[in-house]
Amino acid sequence: MEKVSVIIPVYNTEKYLEKSFASILNQTYTNLELIVINDGSNEATTKKLQQYAKEDNRINLFEFPNRQGVGHARNFGLTKSTGKYIYYFDSDDYLSENTIDLLVTYINDDPVVSGGVRTTHFLNSYAVIFDGLFKTNKMTGNRFNLITRNASVNFMFRKDYLLENKLIHSENVEVFSDLTFIVPAIGDLPVITHVREALYFRRRRNDPIKNPSLQQGDALEKAKDFLSVYLELKKMNLNIETTEFINHQLMNYYRKDIVRLFKDEENIDELFTDLTKAFKRVDEEQLKRYDLLLKREITPILKEDKKFYKRRNARYQILREIKNLITAKNKKRALIRFVYRNLFLKLPVKKGLVYFESFGGKSYSDSPKYIYEHLINNKNEYKYVWHLNEAAHLPGKAKIAKTDSLRYYYTLAVAEYIVTNVRLPLFFEKREEVSYLQTWHGTPLKRLGGDMEEVHMPGTNTERYKINFFNEAQKWDYLIAPNAYSSEILSRAFWFDKKVLEVGYPRNDILYTKNNSKNIADLKTKLKLPQDKKVILYAPTWRDDEYYSKGNYTFELKLNLEKMQKELGEDYVVILRMHYLIASEMDISKYGEFVYDYSLYSDIGELYLVSDILITDYSSVFFDYANLKRPILFYTYDIDKYRDQLRGFYLDMETELPGPLLETTDEIISNIQNINTLREQYKERYDVFYNRFCKWEDGTATLKTIETVF
């Protein structure tokens, strides 16, 4: 059994080391040496590596005091290896248990053999490979397709082949360092065996903002590295086929990545010199194969005329947008967004124009509503537009803008103030003169934004979700926090480092200013609730993984309302208030005057005021409701799944919440029937909770917000 040297550069991947190293050390092929290069990692990573080296004598650990880069680490590892075969592995990835066994089996006397690579966001899911499912392919003219994500992982090499051909990774760049190694390594080989069973799982990092992989790094720096590596490759004695391949890679990188960067003219200044050097190395005959638009676009690059290029680039960016407009599925939306980018955003900002939105235009509600109503009563110099998709009778003289209407895009482009409680769509571009107030919509119990380990929402993945959230949060100028706990979490989870307004939620002002018997009686009349009965408010949240489609979530009501009516109907009525993301409307007709569905009622604060008891689960509503110091029951029938798989919690629900965790309708009924005992039982914990989460609230949050922002 020949020895295989596995070369593993490591830099600050302590989070992934345990599973990644286990996948190597537990290979069915046992004659391994691990050349581990600690490339200037942090203390946590260093301690783990040192412990692994003590526990397994197959690990040879080398430590650099300062980071040298993955290319240098791979090259260094090769010099320290003693095996016949060389295998490169990244320290956040994972192997199937027989990967190396299969590669050794099929390499024979060849210089290189390749295995299948998959990129995944896995946390706890790994593939099981069944012997004999696929076997091998012989890769000839398409062998460059084996280079997955520009990396040299999951190739096995004969060491003598690497040394004879002096194949090394680039040490001049952070990204794409593998290309100077792998391109020439396979370029002169007429055929390469590809073992489709031999799976290597590349981890798609779940935190592209704070802990990105090299491929998730800054796009401009990546482009610089790509051009540098391309020029390094051009200095090598590559055959015609390999030369055409790298030229084609340059053209593709330009069309897919650099053109996008050049929407910002400053990036042209950063890249133009290297770009001209690169394009001057492309064979003229190969350039002739590309479309006329692309050839005309690179003409000023070849002439080294940056001013000419900037003029042509500006025109061609518009032409690309027009092309995308023509091919768009929703041409009306594409056209109006084209107008937004190329006309509305070039208009001057309108002083005193305020754009309001709550829950993506679903309702006139929440903190934006209270800020608006205070402004119309106290600030005559402003004009207002509300984004609303349903007809509504608003106080004041605000204009209504429906989603995708001209007024909607125009207002987003020229309003001096933006006030919303959720994220705006990705197309929104924040202008310097604009003040953007993000009120948000709740104290977090569930993990949010950058604190979420993995995202289970439709239409996105973890990486895209976090990048989009990060980009949105950078547009905010102000973020409201209802308590110190939220201030710390929201700032961290949203990567927000500007002004946090530590004033409480404007929407909660009424819990102090209108919490009296007359207002409550008037609200009950308005809501057609009986004055002689107590009110139970059931307000659950949504589940990330229960949905029909993107943006349309479902919810299965687990409360047995029939049993509740039988046991509690003489003294109580129930209000249902589903989360705004839940698409389903409940059929409550059979419950008569016992159940009222106010899921679409715009002001949940008024529902709090009329309610004597709140039943919720993981929704943030209980933080707001606690301002009233009324009983709260937590119906957490799926707590293990929600806590461990979907979101995770910031609080220990079993010890920190101001009410019991209940799993059945019978438990709910019993606690309501003994509500006074419950009050006494949870009094001390409730007081602690109130002091922690409600002490900023005093009915003046709206005024304090307006005094700061407007």
Side-chain angles (χ1 to χ4, degrees):
M1 181 181 279
E2 301 286 357
K3 183 187 290 185
V4 175
S5 298
V6 182
I7 297 174
I8 313 174
V10 181
Y11 178 70
N12 292 353
T13 51
E14 69 275 7
K15 183 178 179 181
Y16 313 112
L17 288 179
E18 182 177 351
K19 290 177 180 177
S20 292
F21 270 63
S23 76
I24 289 283
L25 296 171
N26 295 326
Q27 289 289 299
T28 55
Y29 194 90
T30 56
N31 191 10
L32 304 174
E33 68 170 1
L34 276 62
I35 309 298
V36 179
I37 302 95
N38 180 5
D39 191 18
S41 295
N42 57 31
E43 184 179 356
T45 300
T46 299
K47 285 183 176 179
K48 280 195 172 185
L49 293 177
Q50 291 170 349
Q51 184 63 34
Y52 295 156
K54 287 180 182 178
E55 294 173 352
D56 197 309
N57 60 15
R58 292 176 294 174
I59 297 176
N60 299 315
L61 177 62
F62 301 90
E63 299 190 86
F64 297 162
N66 300 302
R67 190 179 185 194
Q68 303 295 311
V70 65
H72 178 78
R74 292 204 206 282
N75 294 336
F76 177 85
L78 181 61
T79 67
K80 299 299 180 182
S81 64
T82 62
K84 179 179 180 179
Y85 301 117
I86 301 296
Y87 185 80
Y88 295 103
F89 181 75
D90 286 341
S91 61
D92 54 352
D93 295 338
Y94 179 88
L95 295 183
S96 299
E97 64 177 9
N98 57 352
T99 294
I100 293 179
D101 210 340
L102 285 165
L103 293 175
V104 172
T105 298
Y106 287 105
I107 194 169
N108 298 314
D109 292 326
D110 294 339
V112 180
V113 67
S114 164
V117 178
R118 300 288 182 272
T119 300
T120 176
H121 286 85
F122 64 82
L123 285 178
N124 298 308
S125 301
Y126 308 104
V128 177
I129 305 301
F130 297 96
D131 184 39
L133 281 182
F134 296 113
K135 299 302 180 186
T136 65
N137 297 114
K138 297 294 184 180
M139 309 294 282
T140 54
N142 59 346
R143 64 193 181 282
F144 291 110
N145 293 340
L146 298 174
I147 304 175
T148 305
R149 299 183 68 81
N150 301 304
S152 54
V153 296
N154 216 26
F155 289 89
M156 183 166 287
F157 305 93
R158 273 199 350 249
K159 181 179 178 180
D160 62 345
Y161 172 74
L162 301 182
L163 296 178
E164 286 169 11
N165 290 278
K166 299 179 181 179
L167 295 168
I168 61 172
H169 295 77
S170 174
E171 299 188 11
N172 300 320
V173 297
E174 282 285 318
V175 192
F176 305 114
S177 62
D178 288 11
L179 288 179
T180 59
F181 170 87
I182 192 61
V183 170
I186 68 176
D188 284 329
L189 300 176
V191 61
I192 295 176
T193 299
H194 176 64
V195 188
R196 295 174 64 186
E197 288 177 303
L199 284 183
Y200 181 110
F201 293 89
R202 296 201 72 192
R203 182 182 296 273
R204 192 77 163 169
R205 293 279 186 92
N206 283 338
D207 193 350
I209 308 303
K210 292 184 177 179
N211 187 25
S213 65
L214 291 177
Q215 288 293 336
Q216 292 170 329
D218 180 76
L220 180 61
E221 294 305 315
K222 283 174 61 180
K224 290 178 181 178
D225 280 4
F226 182 86
L227 294 173
S228 175
V229 166
Y230 172 81
L231 292 170
E232 281 190 63
L233 286 166
K234 292 297 287 189
K235 294 175 182 177
M236 299 179 182
N237 185 26
L238 304 176
N239 61 36
I240 293 174
E241 184 185 11
T242 307
T243 299
E244 288 199 352
F245 167 73
I246 64 170
N247 288 340
H248 186 63
Q249 293 300 99
L250 171 65
M251 302 301 286
N252 278 343
Y253 198 88
Y254 174 78
R255 291 191 296 187
K256 294 178 180 178
D257 296 89
I258 292 177
V259 162
R260 188 179 300 116
L261 280 169
F262 283 178
K263 289 181 179 180
D264 182 348
E265 194 175 277
E266 289 183 4
N267 290 332
I268 299 177
D269 296 323
E270 291 281 341
L271 292 178
F272 194 76
T273 299
D274 286 342
L275 199 58
T276 57
K277 291 178 182 177
F279 271 109
K280 281 179 172 291
R281 301 299 304 273
V282 180
D283 183 72
E284 287 186 17
E285 290 301 314
Q286 191 169 351
L287 284 177
K288 290 178 182 179
R289 302 174 199 167
Y290 293 94
D291 61 81
L292 179 63
L293 189 69
L294 181 60
K295 285 187 286 188
R296 284 179 55 80
E297 188 171 9
I298 65 175
T299 297
I301 299 175
L302 296 172
K303 292 182 177 180
E304 301 183 55
D305 190 335
K306 186 161 62 174
K307 289 183 179 179
F308 178 20
Y309 179 80
K310 285 184 176 181
R311 293 195 302 271
R312 184 160 282 184
N313 172 70
R315 292 199 300 271
Y316 279 32
Q317 294 286 1
I318 296 292
L319 288 174
R320 288 189 182 90
E321 288 200 47
I322 293 172
K323 181 181 177 181
N324 293 336
L325 173 60
I326 293 170
T327 58
K329 290 183 179 179
N330 188 332
K331 288 184 169 53
K332 179 182 177 182
R333 175 182 291 174
L335 175 60
I336 199 167
R337 289 190 179 180
F338 178 83
V339 172
Y340 167 79
R341 288 189 298 271
N342 296 287
L343 176 59
F344 291 164
L345 284 173
K346 291 178 171 56
L347 298 173
V349 169
K350 294 195 71 171
K351 296 294 183 180
L353 180 60
V354 189
Y355 171 93
F356 282 98
E357 177 181 300
S358 181
F359 299 115
K362 287 183 170 66
S363 62
Y364 170 67
S365 63
D366 209 68
S367 292
K369 168 187 172 180
Y370 287 95
I371 293 169
Y372 167 72
E373 291 185 356
H374 191 282
L375 283 173
I376 62 174
N377 291 322
N378 296 279
K379 301 279 188 179
N380 296 324
E381 66 270 29
Y382 293 102
K383 293 183 179 179
Y384 309 98
V385 174
W386 263 91
H387 172 207
L388 285 169
N389 290 323
E390 300 293 335
H393 297 289
L394 274 59
K397 297 180 180 179
K399 294 180 179 178
I400 304 299
K402 289 189 175 182
T403 300
D404 286 341
S405 66
L406 272 172
R407 179 177 287 160
Y408 169 72
Y409 285 98
Y410 173 76
T411 309
L412 278 173
V414 303
E416 184 183 8
Y417 298 94
I418 302 287
V419 181
T420 182
N421 67 347
V422 292
R423 290 185 290 160
L424 289 175
L426 297 177
F427 72 81
F428 170 70
E429 295 187 29
K430 163 74 159 52
R431 301 168 74 173
E432 270 189 42
E433 312 96 301
V434 173
S435 293
Y436 186 166
L437 169 61
Q438 175 58 254
T439 71
W440 204 239
H441 53 270
T443 294
L445 169 66
K446 302 164 289 189
R447 294 193 179 276
L448 295 171
D451 287 347
M452 293 174 68
E453 186 64 40
E454 192 168 20
V455 173
H456 297 273
M457 302 174 193
T460 191
N461 58 40
T462 304
E463 179 188 24
R464 194 181 313 131
Y465 172 86
K466 290 187 178 181
I467 288 172
N468 290 342
F469 213 133
F470 172 81
N471 290 337
E472 161 72 9
Q474 303 318 295
K475 301 171 186 175
W476 305 344
D477 296 296
Y478 305 95
L479 172 64
I480 295 180
N483 44 60
Y485 159 92
S486 295
S487 181
E488 188 270 326
I489 288 176
L490 295 180
S491 297
R492 182 187 69 242
F494 295 160
W495 309 276
F496 183 76
D497 59 1
K498 297 179 188 173
K499 179 70 173 177
V500 178
L501 304 184
E502 298 182 332
V503 298
Y505 277 140
R507 71 183 185 192
N508 288 340
D509 285 351
I510 64 168
L511 303 183
Y512 291 86
T513 61
K514 294 190 176 182
N515 184 16
N516 57 68
S517 57
K518 183 181 184 307
N519 280 325
I520 292 171
D522 290 344
L523 283 172
K524 280 191 169 184
T525 300
K526 176 183 174 182
L527 294 166
K528 299 180 181 179
L529 298 171
Q531 298 284 349
D532 60 341
K533 290 191 176 182
K534 294 180 181 179
V535 177
I536 301 165
L537 173 61
Y538 180 42
T541 192
W542 53 300
R543 272 66 175 164
D544 302 48
D545 63 341
E546 295 181 6
Y547 53 84
Y548 299 124
S549 60
K550 181 180 178 181
N552 291 316
Y553 290 81
T554 184
F555 181 79
E556 182 181 351
L557 190 67
K558 301 291 185 180
L559 270 184
N560 187 331
L561 294 175
E562 190 172 343
K563 182 176 284 190
M564 290 182 69
Q565 183 174 20
K566 181 179 178 181
E567 298 289 336
L568 303 171
E570 287 188 13
D571 301 313
Y572 290 93
V573 295
V574 173
I575 292 176
L576 300 179
R577 171 64 181 224
M578 303 295 109
H579 191 280
Y580 80 97
L581 282 174
I582 297 172
S584 304
E585 292 187 42
M586 306 295 168
D587 180 7
I588 60 170
S589 56
K590 63 181 178 180
Y591 302 112
E593 295 183 352
F594 177 66
V595 179
Y596 299 79
D597 186 3
Y598 281 117
S599 296
L600 301 180
Y601 189 73
S602 64
D603 197 333
I604 194 171
E606 293 182 351
L607 301 183
Y608 295 154
L609 285 170
V610 300
S611 301
D612 299 276
I613 299 170
L614 171 67
I615 303 173
T616 187
D617 45 17
Y618 323 110
S619 170
S620 65
V621 296
F622 68 88
F623 290 100
D624 297 334
Y625 193 79
N627 284 283
L628 297 171
K629 297 187 177 181
R630 299 175 189 172
I632 304 172
L633 309 178
F634 295 88
Y635 188 31
T636 53
Y637 52 86
D638 58 351
I639 187 171
D640 291 341
K641 175 185 177 184
Y642 206 98
R643 177 185 57 216
D644 300 333
Q645 295 181 31
L646 293 182
R647 284 288 192 99
F649 302 132
Y650 291 113
L651 298 180
D652 183 341
M653 293 191 68
E654 295 180 355
T655 63
E656 297 185 80
L657 299 192
L661 307 185
L662 309 173
E663 296 184 1
T664 67
T665 300
D666 287 339
E667 289 179 317
I668 293 285
I669 292 170
S670 175
N671 275 273
I672 292 174
Q673 289 173 333
N674 296 280
I675 200 68
N676 290 331
T677 301
L678 182 74
R679 286 178 194 270
E680 190 62 31
Q681 181 182 351
Y682 280 87
K683 183 181 184 305
E684 184 176 340
R685 191 190 290 187
Y686 208 132
D687 289 342
V688 171
F689 186 88
Y690 181 91
N691 289 331
R692 182 179 181 189
F693 296 105
C694 304
K695 66 179 181 180
W696 285 4
E697 308 274 17
D698 61 2
T700 64
T702 303
L703 179 60
K704 291 174 182 175
T705 298
I706 288 172
E707 287 176 343
T708 302
V709 177
F710 293 90

